[in-house]
Amino acid sequence: MTSPATRQAKQARGDLFDPDCPTRRLLDRIGTKWTSMVIKVLADAGDGEVRFADLRRRTPGVSQKMLSVTLQSLTRDGLIARRVEPTVPPKVHYRLTDLGRSLNVPLTALRDWAEAHMVEIDRANAVQSAESTRGANRST
């Protein structure tokens, strides 16, 4: 039996293998390609801010809606800060918080790994597709 202090310490850190742990939801949010790209664009700005339109331009393929949803999620999680200039139309600026900068470290490692191994992954997918096709042809 676990002591209350041990349970409390475990809950404070999270347990990915516990189906009810919020760590799973957090990983779902920070594990998206859009989150990784937005964090990178903001990290490249250093301590500066990036406007919404610039973020969209620097994040190829993202829709305005998906970028908005991603930014809202990152703001809610405390990973980025949002500043609105009261102009018409309003100018919205984003920057990384300290917490967001700390997330950039593991995301950079993950992006680097993905870029370095993409050819191998594509090759493995092609082999599996070819084997699946051959297996399907044999069973008919």
Side-chain angles (χ1 to χ4, degrees):
M1 186 163 165
T2 0
S3 74
T6 303
R7 272 195 309 276
Q8 188 176 25
K10 193 173 182 182
Q11 288 172 345
R13 174 158 172 89
D15 178 5
L16 176 64
F17 294 98
D18 177 353
D20 297 323
C21 182
T23 301
R24 291 180 175 209
R25 290 189 306 277
L26 177 60
L27 286 172
D28 282 343
R29 290 193 306 274
I30 65 174
T32 71
K33 64 184 171 190
W34 304 125
T35 293
S36 184
M37 292 171 79
V38 166
I39 295 291
K40 180 176 180 4
V41 169
L42 293 174
D44 288 348
D47 289 335
E49 297 177 322
V50 180
R51 289 191 46 205
F52 182 90
D54 292 332
L55 271 168
R56 185 152 184 228
R57 242 187 317 280
R58 296 184 201 175
T59 312
V62 71
S63 68
Q64 183 169 336
K65 178 178 170 83
M66 182 49 66
L67 181 56
S68 291
V69 167
T70 300
L71 291 168
Q72 288 170 4
S73 176
L74 293 172
T75 301
R76 186 176 46 253
D77 289 338
L79 298 168
I80 64 174
R82 178 178 187 264
R83 181 176 66 84
V84 180
E85 282 185 47
T87 58
V88 178
K91 293 179 182 175
V92 184
H93 306 264
Y94 297 91
R95 67 173 175 75
L96 285 179
T97 62
D98 289 341
L99 188 60
R101 277 190 282 284
S102 74
L103 176 61
N104 186 49
V105 174
L107 286 182
T108 297
L110 184 58
R111 284 190 304 267
D112 290 347
W113 182 91
E115 290 170 355
H117 293 88
M118 198 61 241
V119 171
E120 294 167 78
I121 300 296
D122 284 345
R123 193 176 308 122
N125 280 303
V127 167
Q128 286 298 312
S129 292
E131 289 175 2
S132 294
T133 301
R134 278 195 303 271
N137 289 339
R138 287 187 195 136
S139 63
T140 52

